[in-house]
């Protein structure tokens, strides 16, 4: 499902000769339907590792395979198709500010060319489930941080992705909402979705026992 | 809290029944009209781009009008005046010197020679009234009363082109010294070269206007890409193809370009009609009396048919430029994303 083999990542550093290396020799596998915590302090490289998995960047070293596709050698045109089967909850939500909550959640379905009738029913139900039934038409700027995060979560799962990646998804949620989200993620994993959740919140991870990938200064540690 | 109440039932909408919920994969394009996911209504403003494209379309219409006018003039001059020659005989009523019928005037001698020449189809000495009409613009209404020693003017049509002109001039000067033979052919050639140069200039202007229009759309699209960069990156990571993103931009750019092209064509119409009206007398020297003012009748008939066909093509051309330029610009830009 996801396979890292000696993956290294450097961001191009304009003005400097040597690029800044962020990940070093990262190797691990996540099986279909697996659930993994991705732990590490701020700056350890969690977001960078997730960005590799949702194909926002390509590795600069090693081999990476996602959804049975070798990303290192895949043609650019194939990646868009893969991305549609990956759901992402971004650390900074990345909602489109000029679209309503409804249209933000509907966006991945429209990109995938689904029919509007289907979209209307699914999106409304999804937003009701995250407790935003009364805010379908609200633009993100009128929503609280927690509400925005719930819109971001709804957008990530609305397509029933095969791979779900969440970057600090509970950062703006209260305890009850966070627990509820964790149960959703584990339920999805049980039903076959592969899930990776990055967090610096060790307490949250220890409450929901699951294998963990631990990053320190860009390296996986046991 | 509602969210917890629902959660406690453990009823998640997503896994409810994955097999039943699976979306049809059909490519039903039912995007709601006006769903502006990239925020292009602001990123690709409807102010500047249509205005600039309208200016380009306006210039293109004028350039094309100029092209057709120059072509028409060249044709007219070539057809009308190729074989025309003017002969001026100074002191026409004096008795011709030398041989021939005694007592013949210099004008009579020259006319006789011309009419006997096989290269001459027609030779007509202008009457005093015709001469008066010809000179009136320069000498005023009373030219007849001016005590000017006017030469006689003979309009000659050559049956064959002007190879015989030198021989003719020589024999006419022998019969009546001082006689001038002037071929219009030289002027026609000069005017034709001038008209062709005007035509080439108009064609170049059209090309330049097209290039500037392409540049204007490209610059506008780049500004739009920069303004909506965040949104593009988001839809890209959500799985939008280059086709999808380029189509959004191309649709917007096409709409704005059509608007501009149409406005430019409409603005050019009254200008072209006025110019055509002014030019009409020169296009029909043979039929209408020279200087009789703008063409009579419906003013639209003054525009060449080709121009009537070209004006509606301006918004279409602008649309093509908008669509293609946006497509190429966006696709090129998107290659920076993985
Ligand atoms: N786009 C980028 N360009 C350059 N450096 C980056 C970029 N994104 C992150 N980094 C650097 O990579 C390192 C890891 O960052 P990140 O992956 O965001 O860690 P985490 O999510 O664990 O906090 C940090 O030192 C950060 O400064
Ligand atoms: Mg991070």
């Amino acid at each position: 499902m996801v396979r890292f083999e000696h993956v290294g990542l450097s961001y191009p550093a304009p003005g400097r000769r040597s690029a800044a290396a962020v990940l070093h020799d990262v190797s691990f596998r996540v099986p279909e339907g697996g659930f993994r915590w991705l732990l590490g302090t701020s700056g350890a490289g969690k977001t960078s590792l997730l960005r590799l998995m949702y194909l926002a960047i390509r590795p600069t070293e090693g081999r990476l395979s996602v959804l049975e596709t070798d990303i290192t050698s895949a043609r650019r045109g194939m990646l868009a198709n893969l991305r549609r089967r990956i759901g992402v909850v971004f650390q900074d939500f990345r909602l489109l500010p000029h679209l309503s909550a409804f249209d933000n959640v509907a966006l991945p379905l429209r990109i995938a060319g689904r029919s509007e009738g289907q979209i209307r029913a699914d999106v409304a139900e999804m937003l009701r489930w995250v407790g935003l039934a009364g805010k379908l038409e609200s633009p993100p700027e009128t929503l609280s941080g927690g509400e925005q995060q719930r819109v971001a979560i709804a957008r990530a799962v609305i397509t029933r992705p095969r791979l779900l990646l969440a970057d600090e998804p509970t950062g703006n949620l209260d305890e009850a909402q966070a627990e509820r989200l964790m149960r959703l993620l584990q339920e999805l994993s049980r039903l076959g979705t592969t899930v990776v959740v990055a967090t610096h919140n060790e307490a949250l991870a220890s409450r929901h026992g699951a294998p963990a990938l631990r990053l320190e200064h860009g390296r996986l540690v046991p | 809290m509602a969210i917890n109440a629902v959660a406690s039932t453990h009823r998640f909408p997503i896994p409810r029944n994955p097999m039943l919920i699976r979306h049809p994969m059909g490519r039903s394009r039912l995007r709601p009209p006006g769903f502006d996911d990239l925020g292009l209504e602001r990123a690709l403003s409807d102010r500047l781009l249509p205005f600039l494209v309208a200016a380009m379309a306006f210039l293109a219409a004028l350039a094309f009008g100029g092209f057709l006018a120059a072509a028409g003039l060249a044709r007219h001059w070539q057809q009308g005046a190729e074989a025309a020659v003017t002969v001026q005989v100074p002191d026409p009523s004096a008795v011709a010197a030398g041989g021939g019928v005694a007592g013949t005037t210099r004008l009579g001698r020259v006319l006789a020679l011309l009419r006997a020449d096989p290269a001459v189809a027609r030779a007509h000495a202008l009457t005093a009234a015709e001469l008066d009409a010809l000179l009136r613009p320069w000498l005023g209404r009373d030219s007849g009363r001016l005590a000017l020693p006017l030469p006689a003017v003979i309009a000659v049509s050559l049956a064959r082109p002007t190879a015989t002109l030198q021989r003719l001039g020589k024999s006419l000067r022998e019969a009546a010294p001082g006689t001038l033979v002037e071929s219009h052919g030289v002027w026609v050639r000069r005017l034709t070269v001038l008209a062709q140069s005007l035509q080439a200039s108009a064609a170049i202007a059209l090309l330049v206007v097209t290039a500037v229009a392409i540049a204007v759309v490209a610059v506008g699209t780049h500004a739009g890409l920069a303004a909506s960069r965040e949104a593009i990156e988001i839809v890209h990571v959500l799985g939008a193809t280059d086709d999808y993103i380029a189509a959004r931009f191309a649709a917007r750019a096409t709409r704005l370009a059509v608007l501009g092209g149409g406005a430019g064509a409409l603005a050019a119409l009254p200008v072209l009609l006025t110019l055509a009206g002014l030019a009409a007398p020169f296009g029909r020297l043979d039929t209408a009396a020279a200087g009789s003012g703008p063409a009579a009748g419906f003013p639209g008939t003054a525009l060449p048919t080709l121009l009537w066909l070209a004006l509606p093509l301006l918004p279409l051309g602008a649309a093509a430029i908008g669509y293609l330029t946006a497509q190429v610009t966006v696709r090129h830009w998107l290659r920076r994303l993985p």
Side-chain angles (χ1 to χ4, degrees):
Chain A
M1 163 53 68
V2 177
R3 192 166 76 236
F4 279 64
E5 288 175 65
H6 309 290
V7 167
L9 175 69
S10 307
Y11 286 110
R16 261 192 297 150
R17 187 158 295 207
S18 61
V22 173
L23 295 174
H24 312 267
D25 194 27
V26 173
S27 300
F28 68 90
R29 297 185 51 169
V30 184
E32 178 102 44
F35 186 106
R36 293 290 183 277
W37 290 104
L38 180 56
L39 301 174
T41 53
S42 179
K46 304 183 294 297
T47 298
S48 300
L49 194 75
L50 289 183
R51 273 159 61 79
L52 282 170
M53 278 192 266
Y54 60 72
L55 315 181
I57 43 176
R58 294 213 203 199
T60 39
E61 271 168 64
R63 295 181 78 78
L64 167 60
S65 139
V66 176
L67 295 168
E68 291 82 46
T69 308
D70 187 345
I71 302 309
T72 346
S73 62
R75 280 184 304 104
R76 186 171 175 281
M78 288 180 56
L79 297 185
N81 240 327
L82 282 181
R83 288 189 188 102
R84 292 185 197 174
R85 294 189 275 153
I86 303 172
V88 189
V89 183
F90 300 95
Q91 189 166 4
D92 52 356
F93 318 144
R94 310 202 78 183
L95 302 176
L96 290 175
H98 51 275
L99 295 186
S100 65
F102 181 95
D103 281 339
N104 264 290
V105 176
L107 188 56
L109 299 177
R110 286 177 175 150
I111 287 173
R114 306 272 170 81
S115 80
E116 278 302 314
Q118 185 83 58
I119 287 173
R120 223 165 293 133
D122 281 14
V123 172
E125 180 171 6
M126 180 62 72
L127 279 169
R128 196 177 323 120
W129 185 77
V130 296
L132 294 172
K135 309 230 168 181
L136 298 190
E137 297 303 320
S138 306
E141 61 182 7
T142 66
L143 300 175
S144 73
E147 287 169 333
Q148 290 184 35
Q149 192 147 41
R150 283 182 272 154
V151 174
I153 292 162
R155 184 181 66 184
V157 297
I158 188 77
T159 54
R160 276 139 217 132
R162 282 187 61 203
L163 173 61
L164 181 62
L165 306 169
D167 200 352
E168 312 272 4
T170 58
N172 288 276
L173 301 183
D174 61 34
E175 281 287 306
Q177 289 168 345
E179 286 303 317
R180 190 167 128 74
L181 174 64
M182 290 323 303
R183 281 204 298 279
L184 164 68
L185 295 179
Q186 285 174 330
E187 180 73 7
L188 285 175
S189 156
R190 199 179 57 72
L191 285 160
T193 304
T194 310
V195 181
V196 179
V197 182
T199 184
H200 63 270
N201 185 343
E202 301 263 350
L204 183 76
S206 59
R207 270 204 304 280
H208 300 270
L213 302 160
R214 204 173 285 276
L215 270 180
E216 260 176 41
H217 304 297
R219 290 176 199 280
L220 276 186
V221 293
Chain B
M1 190 176 182
I3 188 168
N4 279 320
V6 180
S8 62
T9 69
H10 283 262
R11 235 195 83 243
F12 299 109
I14 310 106
R16 191 178 45 189
N17 187 342
M19 300 324 289
L20 272 183
I21 286 178
R22 266 209 106 70
H23 292 286
M25 285 308 284
R27 303 263 108 188
S28 45
R29 288 274 162 221
L30 288 174
R31 293 164 46 80
F35 177 62
D36 182 23
D37 45 356
L38 297 178
L40 295 185
E41 263 159 46
R42 238 182 324 145
L44 219 55
S45 155
D46 58 358
R47 300 271 160 78
L48 199 56
L49 195 60
F51 179 77
L52 290 175
V53 171
M56 294 304 125
F58 180 79
L59 292 178
L62 293 195
F64 192 64
F67 180 86
L68 290 181
L73 281 182
R75 200 176 334 109
H76 173 77
W77 284 330
Q78 258 164 338
Q79 285 169 355
E82 185 86 293
V85 171
T86 307
V87 175
Q88 288 181 39
V89 187
D91 205 2
S93 41
V95 175
V101 185
T104 319
T105 61
R106 284 158 52 88
L107 175 61
R109 176 72 57 82
V110 168
L111 268 176
L113 272 173
L114 283 169
R115 284 174 180 152
D117 199 301
V120 173
R122 217 164 57 85
H124 164 67
L126 299 190
T127 63
E130 284 170 331
L131 207 56
D132 204 40
L134 198 65
L135 293 177
R136 192 182 299 138
W138 283 275
L139 299 182
R141 212 162 270 288
D142 300 327
S143 64
R145 271 182 261 144
L146 293 172
L148 278 178
L150 292 176
V153 177
I154 308 168
V156 177
S157 303
L158 292 182
R160 291 181 231 132
T162 49
T164 52
L165 214 57
Q166 288 221 327
R167 176 186 54 74
L168 200 60
K170 194 159 169 280
S171 65
L172 292 184
R173 269 193 303 280
E174 274 166 12
T179 298
L180 281 175
V181 176
E182 214 173 56
S183 164
H184 295 190
V186 177
W187 285 104
V188 166
R189 270 191 295 281
R190 286 177 188 165
L191 287 171
T192 305
V193 169
L194 173 65
Q196 281 166 348
S197 312
L198 287 174
Q199 232 176 313
S201 305
I204 290 170
L206 263 179
L207 285 180
V208 170
V209 161
T210 307
V212 172
I214 291 172
V216 161
V217 175
V219 168
T221 305
H222 264 292
L225 284 164
S228 57
R229 186 191 176 113
E230 181 87 11
I232 293 172
E233 284 175 357
I234 291 171
V235 298
H236 177 75
V237 116
L238 292 179
T241 56
D242 291 2
D243 291 350
Y244 179 95
I245 298 170
R248 301 274 85 71
F249 271 89
R252 177 82 180 149
T254 305
R255 195 153 49 244
L256 297 181
V258 166
L259 221 67
L266 277 181
L269 188 56
V271 179
L272 288 171
L273 283 174
T274 308
L275 287 178
L278 291 174
F282 301 100
R284 38 181 80 176
L285 283 174
D286 39 350
T287 52
S292 71
F298 178 59
T301 54
L303 276 197
T305 319
L306 261 179
L307 203 50
W308 278 122
L309 293 177
L311 281 178
L313 284 181
L314 276 175
L316 283 183
I321 288 175
Y323 180 84
L324 291 175
T325 307
Q327 282 276 351
V328 170
T329 308
V330 171
R331 283 173 192 279
H332 181 79
W333 189 92
L334 283 174
R335 273 192 257 141
R336 72 186 58 194
L337 300 179

